[in-house]
């Protein structure tokens, strides 16, 4: 028996972008490409998705996305200001209408700051407004990463609806 | 009943990189982040994976990865020379020991050059040697993308073993 398909926030985001003729770029840390993969699971997503940057290490967050080194040094990569600068940076670097940033701790181990596994910051920017949200997810690494990608798409949909 | 876990080429690649203290960067077109996602499915992959670029559109292949515009214009994005330049470009841009490039047609529709669905070029570069392989996969979009990511990891393992 086929399972009924549950519509995801990522599918809703792609449909919103298509309807409004907008594009989105992704900057992913803890999700490591999952959001880009999920957007491009959808055939025809090339109309709304030019691409993104997987900034798994801090150096890429700074060198390519332009996140302030002082922020990374003082707050660490898993923080709301870093998520915001990732969203703003990837929007600018890729050249898209919207940018999405995701940074968090997917586990199973914490980072060296002692922040809890499941803590994720997502952000979405349109160049004028940058929204961000702190999320605390329960689950294993895979579940946390999936919820993080969905939460980021959800926030981008909210931004488009503003 | 749990299915027995089949070890993938991506897992083998991460283990090889760890053993040899090497890093890899990914440039993905048709896989859209799947290879990065699959590498970072593996806990501890941050030691070998700084990040990558999802270059879903041609502009990102040129602007960020430095693929020749004349190549893109004459051969189209789904070609061996473009895969090679993606691997070499992402290695340089991200600053990693190895670079991997993937470009192909995941379907369900062909691109405007009439190349067949399932045609994928993968490439791996260490800065001195750049290897590339043409693949022709059968299957749906998801299957083709999974096989493309696996084929790219397989080629990178071959390069490391050289």
């Amino acid at each position: 028996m086929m399972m009924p398909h549950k519509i995801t926030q990522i599918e809703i985001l792609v449909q919103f972008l298509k309807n409004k003729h907008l594009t989105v770029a992704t900057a992913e840390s803890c999700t490591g490409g999952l959001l880009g993969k999920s957007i491009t699971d959808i055939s025809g997503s090339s109309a709304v998705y030019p691409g993104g940057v997987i900034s798994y290490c801090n150096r890429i967050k700074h060198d390519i996305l332009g996140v302030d080194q002082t922020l990374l040094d003082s707050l660490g990569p898993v923080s709301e200001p870093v998520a915001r600068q990732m969203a703003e940076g990837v929007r600018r670097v890729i050249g898209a209408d919207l940018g999405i940033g995701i940074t968090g701790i997917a586990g199973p181990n914490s980072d060296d700051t002692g922040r809890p596994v499941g803590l994720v910051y997502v952000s979405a920017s349109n160049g004028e407004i940058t929204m961000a949200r702190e999320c605390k997810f329960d689950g294993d690494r895979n579940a946390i990463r999936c919820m993080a990608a969905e939460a980021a798409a959800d926030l981008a949909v909210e931004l488009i609806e503003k």
Side-chain angles (χ1 to χ4, degrees), chain A:
Chain A
M1 194 181 78
M2 290 279 284
M3 291 288 287
H5 178 72
K6 187 175 167 291
I7 294 174
T8 66
Q9 283 306 118
I10 295 166
E11 288 170 302
I12 291 169
L13 171 61
V14 169
Q15 196 55 56
F16 261 66
L17 292 165
K18 278 186 185 173
N19 291 349
K20 295 193 180 272
H21 304 285
L22 296 172
T23 60
V24 70
T26 53
E28 302 186 63
S29 186
C30 63
T31 48
L34 172 62
L35 179 56
K37 181 261 179 202
S38 302
I39 290 172
T40 60
D41 277 340
I42 303 166
S43 179
S45 52
S46 58
V48 303
Y49 186 63
V53 174
I54 304 172
S55 57
Y56 208 56
C57 76
N58 279 353
R59 182 171 52 76
I60 307 304
K61 291 181 184 72
H62 173 69
D63 289 357
I64 298 189
L65 298 177
V67 176
D68 285 343
Q69 191 62 49
T70 48
L71 263 186
L72 290 166
D73 291 342
S74 59
L75 295 177
V78 182
S79 59
E80 186 181 307
V82 168
R84 286 177 179 272
Q85 291 197 1
M86 288 171 65
E88 291 165 357
V90 81
R91 178 185 167 277
R92 189 179 59 243
V93 168
I94 297 286
D97 297 308
L98 278 78
I100 289 176
I102 306 175
T103 182
I105 303 172
N109 303 311
S110 181
D111 64 3
D112 54 13
T113 65
R115 288 180 172 86
V117 170
L119 177 66
V120 176
Y121 293 91
V122 297
S123 178
S125 177
N126 63 11
E128 292 186 359
I129 304 169
T130 301
M131 296 169 69
R133 184 169 292 154
E134 182 184 84
C135 310
K136 289 170 183 171
F137 297 123
D138 279 325
D140 64 13
R141 183 176 176 86
N142 181 52
I144 289 168
R145 290 176 6 126
C146 289
M147 288 185 283
E150 282 285 300
D154 188 53
L155 189 65
V157 167
E158 264 188 53
L159 178 63
I160 295 171
E161 283 183 316
K162 259 192 185 289

